[in-house]
Amino acid sequence: MKPVAAYADVLRIEEHGWPTNLPSSTYDAIRQGAAIDPDAPALSFFMSADKLGETEVWNYRDLLRRITQTANAFHELGLRKDDVIAFVLPNLPETHFTIWGGEATAIVAAFNPLLEARTLAALLTAAGAKALVTLAPFPGVDLWSRLQPELAGIDSLQHIVQVNLADRVQGPAKEMARQAQQGEVKKLHGDGGVQAGLPAHVAVHDFWTIVDRQEGDRLCSDRQIVAEDVSSLFCTGGTTGLPKIAMRQHGAEVANAWSATAFLGDIIGPGKTLFCGLPLFHVNGVIVTGLVPFSKGAHVVLGTPQGYRGDGVVAGFWEIVEHFKINFFSGVPTLYAGLLLTPVGAHDISSLEYGLCGAAPMPVEMFRKFQEVTGLQILEGYGLTEAICVSSINPSQGERRIGSIGLRLPGQAMKAVMLDDEGHYSRDCAVDEVGLLAISGPNLFCGYLSAEHNEGLWLDCGDGRRWLNTGDLGRQDADGYFWLTGRKKELIIRGGHNIDPATIEEVLHQHPDVQLAAAIGRPDAYAGELPVAYVQLKQGSRTTEEELAEFARARIGERAAQPKFIRLIDRIPLTTVGKLFKPALKKREIKDAIADALWNAEIEFVEVSVVEEPGQGTRIGVDLTNAEDEDRARVVIGNFSYPFSIRTTKNL
């Protein structure tokens, strides 16, 4: 299948109509992929970047068998179609087995193991988790010790399935690892073991003990999964202290995988190898380097439990590419920034074809420099948890427009629309006119778990279709390419992590001296954005920025959401109806970030301006003191994801 090269190719694919023979479930999609060549490598895993020679490999026959056994193990525990199996795990083979085996049995809920324990407990309670798959106690790993004290308060929980990291140790060190693990259990819970630290009604199981005893050639449940069955729950930005929980269906996940493969063509398929370094609690890791390749018979390399954050992964990335002959990987701008600091050296990276970049806009200068240094083609894209994962990508075989999020995928409609003052659809936008991005298609999720979060979620555009209000602002050019110009929903995106400003604001409002608090994203050349909070104190208060920062750190469950800076301000700007007016604060941070970057580069300038241009969004203007600094200034400012112009003010 040829990849999409232009918008006309998207339309041509759609002329054939929606496929009538798509699998009804993610399990069937993987089973179809496994049938292409059961002996082909499907999943490889290495624990450490300095031990690539100890990589474990599962072919497609083994992968499907392990997924089936895991599904049967969950069924044996009494888990059924509408039950929730949550996992709080790093990137491990068991994580994939849990995701796809869990979806074949019940509903899988993915949660970030880096969250604070009380936040995880609140999410598990909100999801109604009946089973939890997580790590067993292990020396040097604090996940269980953090989480265990909170589990007694989760009324729905009946089963804990523990993945033992000692099982991943190979060779003579395996027995030593098992003894160390048992010692950790005794240190935490005494002779009573893990069960002693849990309520009597919560049963504890070892993952491989319950999986290995299962049949692997069929689903013992005889379940007939239909496309409308809920398959998974994933967190996304919310309007309260906890993230929203998005409900996704089997048919929607399969539809998005089909759309992505129809767009990418033979980039992903038999004989192709993809590297997965993004976390498997995030939709990109699960879909782009999970369901998509598994459904097409490609090979996925899973690198270390911490993925790209693992010791030596970024530093040794080119060696990993050479060793496994990686063809494709997916990352966020911060990853590409890190790889730019890692020389390719003598490594043979000729196997690399494409890198997918999403989660946040990639700075133009970083884009240019990366392709110049590595020769790798980067495909910028756009996606949402609510639309399963991918909605648009720059074409691999056509024009890749730097700064654009590309062409929409076949089978899902996408457009910019204008809303009236009450938030209702008014009309479609003209070419290059900025409006709210809306998406429609079989890849849409079915709503948030909490009904209150669904208000204003869907748009009626008068065509009988269901349109998702993405909350993002953008435009579509004459050739079908989409361009993001802002985020109406005001999420802060830090290194690919979605941070709801309310998570920060609600905590700061708990401080007795705080009158108003407004959290925004500060542009950052490495992380994309950093959370910054502006605070207006009550009259007479003497609280300091440092005291407020400590207050916030102690109460914000997600480390990434803890504000990088807290700025005291006399008066936070408000709209005429009394709402926080964040654009004024955002402009201030953009200006300050650009100025700091120029100062750090020792580039003299007269002024940095930030303006909103109709139809184009935010634009930076810089007046330099010396013309000879212009080239260096372009490099510095190009590391931020804003269009800009430079002029020189002559010395008098």
Side-chain angles (χ1 to χ4, degrees):
M1 183 187 299
K2 290 184 177 181
V4 163
Y7 187 51
D9 295 329
V10 174
L11 300 178
R12 191 157 39 247
I13 293 171
E14 292 176 338
E15 286 176 358
H16 298 286
W18 190 254
T20 58
N21 60 344
L22 283 184
S24 61
S25 69
T26 57
Y27 180 79
D28 284 340
I30 295 173
R31 187 164 60 179
Q32 283 190 11
I36 296 172
D37 183 357
D39 294 317
L43 178 65
S44 293
F45 172 75
F46 59 87
M47 273 288 288
S48 174
D50 61 357
K51 296 181 179 179
L52 301 183
E54 298 180 6
T55 298
E56 296 178 81
V57 183
W58 290 260
N59 64 22
Y60 266 98
R61 184 182 292 106
D62 295 333
L63 175 69
L64 185 60
R65 179 172 61 88
R66 286 308 196 186
I67 290 171
T68 303
Q69 286 181 298
T70 305
N72 290 336
F74 289 143
H75 181 74
E76 183 182 70
L77 296 183
L79 298 163
R80 297 297 182 264
K81 169 177 171 287
D82 296 322
D83 292 327
V84 173
I85 302 168
F87 71 86
V88 181
L89 290 169
N91 283 11
L92 294 167
E94 292 89 342
T95 313
H96 267 304
F97 304 151
T98 295
I99 294 168
W100 309 116
E103 288 194 6
T105 305
I107 301 168
V108 169
F111 297 125
N112 180 357
L114 298 179
L115 291 174
E116 296 294 337
R118 65 179 183 274
T119 303
L120 283 169
L123 289 169
L124 291 165
T125 299
K130 192 171 182 178
L132 169 64
V133 186
T134 191
L135 292 181
F138 196 80
V141 180
D142 70 347
L143 179 57
W144 176 255
S145 61
R146 288 191 293 113
L147 190 55
Q148 178 266 328
E150 304 289 339
L151 297 179
I154 305 171
D155 294 337
S156 61
L157 195 61
Q158 297 181 13
H159 298 281
I160 300 286
V161 179
Q162 293 193 327
V163 175
N164 191 339
L165 287 177
D167 294 330
R168 300 265 63 85
V169 179
Q170 299 185 37
K174 192 177 191 72
E175 183 57 34
M176 187 181 302
R178 288 192 179 280
Q179 292 176 6
Q181 192 274 328
Q182 292 168 4
E184 186 71 9
V185 172
K186 188 169 184 178
K187 183 177 77 173
L188 292 174
H189 303 295
D191 294 332
V194 171
Q195 185 67 66
L198 295 168
H201 71 276
V202 179
V204 180
H205 315 272
D206 174 73
F207 183 90
W208 284 113
T209 298
I210 64 172
V211 167
D212 277 339
R213 65 182 180 225
Q214 305 299 324
E215 295 182 41
D217 59 347
R218 68 180 185 91
L219 292 177
C220 295
S221 65
D222 293 323
R223 179 185 174 190
Q224 299 299 310
I225 307 171
V226 298
E228 292 74 26
D229 286 345
V230 176
S231 55
S232 63
L233 306 176
F234 278 83
C235 290
T236 186
T239 56
T240 67
L242 285 179
K244 298 176 183 176
I245 299 177
M247 300 184 293
R248 297 132 60 86
Q249 297 165 304
H250 279 273
E253 293 189 338
V254 171
N256 196 230
W258 176 85
S259 291
T261 55
F263 189 98
L264 294 170
D266 55 10
I267 292 176
I268 297 177
K272 298 293 186 179
T273 300
L274 290 76
F275 182 76
C276 175
L278 293 175
L280 291 176
F281 60 78
H282 189 277
V283 294
N284 192 303
V286 170
I287 300 297
V288 175
T289 46
L291 184 60
V292 167
F294 289 154
S295 69
K296 300 299 290 184
H299 177 203
V300 174
V301 175
L302 191 64
T304 81
Q306 292 78 36
Y308 289 124
R309 295 176 180 269
D311 289 343
V313 172
V314 172
F317 187 73
W318 306 124
E319 181 182 355
I320 293 168
V321 168
E322 181 179 39
H323 182 87
F324 293 103
K325 293 180 169 47
I326 303 295
N327 304 115
F328 183 94
F329 68 96
S330 183
V332 297
T334 52
L335 168 70
Y336 289 93
L339 291 178
L340 265 177
L341 302 176
T342 305
V344 175
H347 293 297
D348 179 5
I349 62 169
S350 58
S351 62
L352 272 181
E353 299 174 21
Y354 305 101
L356 182 66
C357 184
M362 188 169 189
V364 172
E365 183 63 20
M366 186 191 300
F367 192 109
R368 183 192 64 77
K369 282 166 48 178
F370 193 89
Q371 294 197 149
E372 180 182 286
V373 170
T374 66
L376 178 70
Q377 298 183 57
I378 301 174
L379 308 179
E380 278 199 276
Y382 168 79
L384 297 153
T385 302
E386 294 87 343
I388 302 306
C389 184
V390 189
S391 288
S392 67
I393 313 176
N394 269 271
S396 62
Q397 300 300 307
E399 182 184 359
R400 294 180 304 282
R401 298 189 175 177
I402 297 177
S404 164
I405 56 173
L407 306 170
R408 66 174 179 83
L409 299 193
Q412 53 176 302
M414 186 170 169
K415 62 183 180 180
V417 301
M418 299 298 293
L419 305 183
D420 61 23
D421 292 340
E422 296 180 352
H424 299 141
Y425 170 81
S426 175
R427 61 175 176 83
D428 289 356
C429 289
V431 171
D432 279 329
E433 183 182 15
V434 173
L436 177 80
L437 291 184
I439 297 174
S440 181
N443 58 300
L444 295 184
F445 80 146
C446 50
Y448 297 115
L449 193 62
S450 177
E452 67 188 41
H453 292 153
N454 294 314
E455 184 178 350
L457 183 62
W458 306 108
L459 296 173
D460 180 1
C461 295
D463 55 4
R465 303 183 64 162
R466 187 178 63 152
W467 289 87
L468 174 70
N469 177 345
T470 68
D472 289 317
L473 301 176
R475 59 185 174 88
Q476 185 179 23
D477 67 23
D479 297 315
Y481 288 76
F482 283 90
W483 304 75
L484 288 181
T485 60
R487 285 192 299 277
K488 190 173 182 179
K489 58 192 176 187
E490 295 182 344
L491 285 180
I492 301 166
I493 302 182
R494 179 178 187 174
H497 291 273
N498 287 353
I499 301 168
D500 184 350
T503 302
I504 301 168
E505 293 163 354
E506 290 178 2
V507 165
L508 289 172
H509 281 134
Q510 294 170 15
H511 193 284
D513 292 334
V514 171
Q515 180 72 37
L516 287 174
I520 60 170
R522 173 188 174 87
D524 183 79
Y526 178 75
E529 288 184 320
L530 296 173
V532 173
Y534 281 80
V535 173
Q536 178 180 324
L537 297 177
K538 294 177 181 177
Q539 190 171 4
S541 170
R542 298 184 181 276
T543 301
T544 66
E545 294 173 350
E546 290 75 17
E547 289 170 342
L548 289 172
E550 182 60 32
F551 182 87
R553 280 194 294 270
R555 291 164 176 78
I556 294 175
E558 186 175 3
R559 295 172 192 169
Q562 294 170 357
K564 182 70 173 178
F565 304 108
I566 291 183
R567 309 198 191 283
L568 296 181
I569 188 172
D570 290 339
R571 188 172 298 277
I572 288 180
L574 303 174
T575 67
T576 54
V577 293
K579 293 183 178 180
L580 299 175
F581 186 64
K582 293 186 178 181
L585 301 176
K586 182 74 173 180
K587 282 187 178 181
R588 177 171 165 172
E589 284 300 319
I590 294 172
K591 182 175 181 178
D592 190 64
I594 300 293
D596 275 354
L598 292 170
W599 280 326
N600 290 336
E602 298 183 348
I603 297 172
E604 296 183 15
F605 62 94
V606 177
E607 184 181 13
V608 174
S609 60
V610 180
V611 296
E612 293 293 325
E613 293 189 347
Q616 300 296 320
T618 303
R619 187 174 185 87
I620 309 300
V622 175
D623 289 348
L624 296 179
T625 303
N626 301 308
E628 57 266 27
D629 286 335
E630 183 170 339
D631 288 343
R632 288 198 303 130
R634 288 189 181 279
V635 172
V636 170
I637 306 169
N639 285 321
F640 296 87
S641 56
Y642 299 101
F644 63 89
S645 60
I646 295 176
R647 70 176 187 177
T648 302
T649 301
K650 294 182 180 179
N651 291 323
L652 297 178

